[in-house]
Amino acid sequence: MKGILRFHLKVHFQFKVAKKSYLDVCTFLNMTKKQVMSSRIQWTIHIGVLVLISFTNAYSIIPAATKPKRIDNNLKDICESIKNKARHTQVFYSPDPNYFEDIKHYAISSTQYPACTVEPSTADDVAIIMKIVQENRVPFAVKGGGHSANPLFSSTIGVHIAMRRFSNVIVHADNQTVDVGPGLFWDDVYKALEPHNINVVGGRVSGVGVAGFTLGGGYSWKSNQFGLAIDNVIGYELVTPNGTIVDVTNNSYPDLFFGLKGGFNNFGIVTNFRLHAHPQTQVYGGLLVYIDEQRFDDVLKAVMDFRDNNKDPKAQALVSFTPQTGLVTFDVTLFYDAPRAPDDTFKKFINIPHMGTLKTRSFLSFVKVVPIYVTDGRRGRFHTVSVTNLTDRVFQELKNQTIYNAAKFDSKLDAFASFTAEPFLPTYFDKSQGGAYPHCPSTTPLLPIFLQFSWRLPADDDYFVNEIKLSADAILQAALYNGQNSNATKQIRYPNYALDSTTLSEMYGDNVARLQSIRKAWDTDSVMNPTGGFKF
C-alpha cells in the first residue's frame, strides 16, 4: 500500500499540493473561474478513483495455489550445501521475512516460491554456488531488482539467488569511473553519487534494478548525450557458469564483453559493473498530467513539435497515454540536463492546462517523480515495438489504442494499460559502442515504444497477454503504413521491454549466430539455461 500511495498521490499527481496550492496552479494557468471549478471536479474524481485503487491494492491476497509448498528433500539438501560451503552467504526459507523480500518482484505474476533464497556477498561465494548448481543440475534464478515482468526470468521454484548484498558504489579517485553492485536500485546509485557531483547512465524511473537494466541495454535520460547504459560499461566482474571469476573488458575478453552488452544472464552472473561517470549538476523538469481528453490533440501537437524541432541533446521527453478504471490521462515527463532549460524548450507543453510542475531539482528528485505505474498486488506484462520514426500516424495509433483499451478493460478487475513513446534525437545511435543489442552508428536509430498492461486476477493472464500482443501489432502496422520497417523481419525489439514469447531474431537480428557461439564457448554444459530468460 505504501508504494501504491507514493505513486498515486505523490508521483503521478503530486497530491501533496494542498487545496490552496491547487488554486494557485489554476491561476498560474490563467483559467477562468468556470474552468477552475470544472478542473477541480475532474481532479477530485480522479484522485478519488486512484485512492480507491490504492486501498484495493492494499488488501490484495496472494492466491493460495502460488504459496510455498513443501520443499523437495533434494532441493533442501542443496540449499544446506550452499549454506555450509559458501561461508559469506545467508540462506533463507519460508516464512522468514528475508525470503519474501528476496523473491519480491515489480509484478506479482513474476514471483515464484523457491525451495530457498540465498544471498551471497562475495564473488567467491557466487562461484561456489555456481559450482553446486552445476554439479546438481538444479533450477535456479538470479535476481537483481526484480523489475522484469516476464514470469521465470528472475524467479524459480528451485534455488533463488538474490544479489541484494552486492550494494557497493565506489567512486574512483579521478571521478571518471564508478563501480556499482548488481543488487542496487538506481535510486541508491544516484543518492550515493550526488555528493560527488557526478552521475552514470542509468534507469529513468524509481525502483528499477541495476543488473537487468544494464545487461539488457539501458535507455536513460542521458542517452541523447552518452548512448545507452551498455555504451558506458568499461568492465564487468563475471562469475562464469563453471565458477571462474573473470574481469571482462573489451581488451581481456572481447567476445564476452560484446555478449554482456544486451545479452542478459546467458554468460554467467555479474558481480560488479564498472561504468563511465559524467559530471552532474541539478536538472530541470517534472511530470505534466493532462486529464482533459478534449485537449489531447493539443498535447499531441506539442509532442510532434518537440519531435521535429528539438535538437538539444540535454532535452528529453517520455510521452505516455494511460487508461485506467475508465479514465484516460496523457502524461508527459520532461527532462533537461541543467538547472534551467532554454525558455522555448517546453513552452508548448506548459501552455496547455495541466497538473504538475517543471522545476529545478536534483537528478534523484527528478527520477522519483516519473510515473512508474506500481503494480504491487497486480499481475502484468511488458511489450514493445521499435520504429524508425514516431510519425503522426504512430502517435495517433497510441491514442486510439489507449481509448480502445480503456473501454475494453472496464469489465476487468483493476486493469490498466500504458503506452509510452520515447522521442530520442536521430543522432543518439552515434554514441553506440556496439554490443549484443543492435544499435550501430551506421544504422537508422530505433525509437522504442513501451507497452505495459496490468491486471488483478490470474484467470485473466491469457486475455491480457493476447491483448498486449494485439496492441503491439496494431502499432507496428501504423508504422508500416508510413513505409518504415517495410520488411517486418527487420523489426528489432528492445530486450528489456520484450514479451517472453519474442524470438531472438526479433531482438538481436544478425547478432544471434555470434551470441550463440559465445554462449557455447563459455557455457558448454548449458548451466545458465535453467535460469530462465531469453537464451542463446
Side-chain angles (χ1 to χ4, degrees), residues 393-434:
R393 187 178 181 91
V394 169
F395 275 120
Q396 191 62 47
E397 184 60 34
L398 295 182
K399 176 185 173 183
N400 293 343
Q401 285 295 316
T402 306
I403 296 170
Y404 166 76
N405 284 293
K408 195 169 185 179
F409 289 178
D410 275 351
S411 62
K412 299 296 182 180
L413 177 62
D414 201 12
F416 76 75
S418 178
F419 301 86
T420 301
E422 307 178 14
F424 291 99
L425 290 179
T427 55
Y428 88 99
F429 265 24
D430 292 351
K431 310 299 180 182
S432 172
Q433 299 298 310

Side-chain angles (χ1 to χ4, degrees), residues 343-363:
D343 291 342
D344 291 340
T345 308
F346 304 130
K347 183 177 181 180
K348 293 190 176 181
F349 294 105
I350 295 171
N351 287 344
I352 303 169
H354 60 268
M355 302 297 179
T357 186
L358 305 182
K359 67 178 184 180
T360 301
R361 58 181 94 212
S362 70
F363 188 86

Side-chain angles (χ1 to χ4, degrees), residues 260-398:
L260 287 167
K261 295 200 292 181
F264 293 112
N265 62 358
N266 278 273
F267 311 104
I269 300 176
V270 173
T271 51
N272 186 69
F273 297 91
R274 179 159 292 182
L275 308 174
H276 281 294
H278 306 281
Q280 184 66 66
T281 63
Q282 285 192 305
V283 302
Y284 178 79
L287 169 68
L288 304 185
V289 180
Y290 305 87
I291 62 175
D292 183 356
E293 290 187 42
Q294 295 181 351
R295 305 303 296 269
F296 282 4
D297 285 340
D298 294 335
V299 185
L300 271 179
K301 289 178 183 177
V303 170
M304 294 169 190
D305 180 79
F306 181 83
R307 172 201 65 192
D308 295 337
N309 296 311
N310 176 57
K311 302 295 187 292
D312 189 339
K314 293 185 177 181
Q316 283 193 223
L318 284 180
V319 182
S320 299
F321 281 109
T322 304
Q324 179 169 276
T325 319
L327 193 71
V328 177
T329 66
F330 197 155
D331 308 340
V332 181
T333 309
L334 300 169
F335 171 80
Y336 196 82
D337 199 8
R340 295 295 301 175
D343 291 342
D344 291 340
T345 308
F346 304 130
K347 183 177 181 180
K348 293 190 176 181
F349 294 105
I350 295 171
N351 287 344
I352 303 169
H354 60 268
M355 302 297 179
T357 186
L358 305 182
K359 67 178 184 180
T360 301
R361 58 181 94 212
S362 70
F363 188 86
L364 176 60
S365 170
F366 171 78
V367 166
K368 286 183 175 293
V369 306
V370 178
I372 57 175
Y373 306 115
V374 174
T375 53
D376 283 0
R378 299 191 196 191
R379 310 178 73 77
R381 292 292 192 281
F382 302 155
H383 203 10
T384 187
V385 174
S386 292
V387 299
T388 54
N389 186 11
L390 287 166
T391 62
D392 295 7
R393 187 178 181 91
V394 169
F395 275 120
Q396 191 62 47
E397 184 60 34
L398 295 182

Side-chain angles (χ1 to χ4, degrees), residues 16 53 69 89 206 228 296 338 369 381 429 458 535:
K16 61 182 180 180
I53 292 168
K69 298 178 181 179
T89 295
S206 182
L228 307 186
F296 282 4
V369 306
R381 292 292 192 281
F429 265 24
K535 292 302 170 190

Side-chain angles (χ1 to χ4, degrees), residues 247 263 430 453 455:
D247 289 320
D430 292 351
F453 283 18
W455 59 95

Side-chain angles (χ1 to χ4, degrees), residues 145-165:
H147 201 261
S148 173
N150 288 322
L152 293 171
F153 270 42
S154 54
S155 59
T156 183
I157 59 171
V159 174
H160 179 102
I161 304 171
M163 299 296 288
R164 60 179 176 150
R165 291 174 183 256

Side-chain angles (χ1 to χ4, degrees), residues 213-235:
F213 174 89
T214 307
L215 290 171
Y219 283 91
S220 167
W221 290 114
K222 303 171 84 69
S223 287
N224 277 339
Q225 300 174 76
F226 307 113
L228 307 186
I230 55 177
D231 300 319
N232 289 268
V233 179
I234 299 170

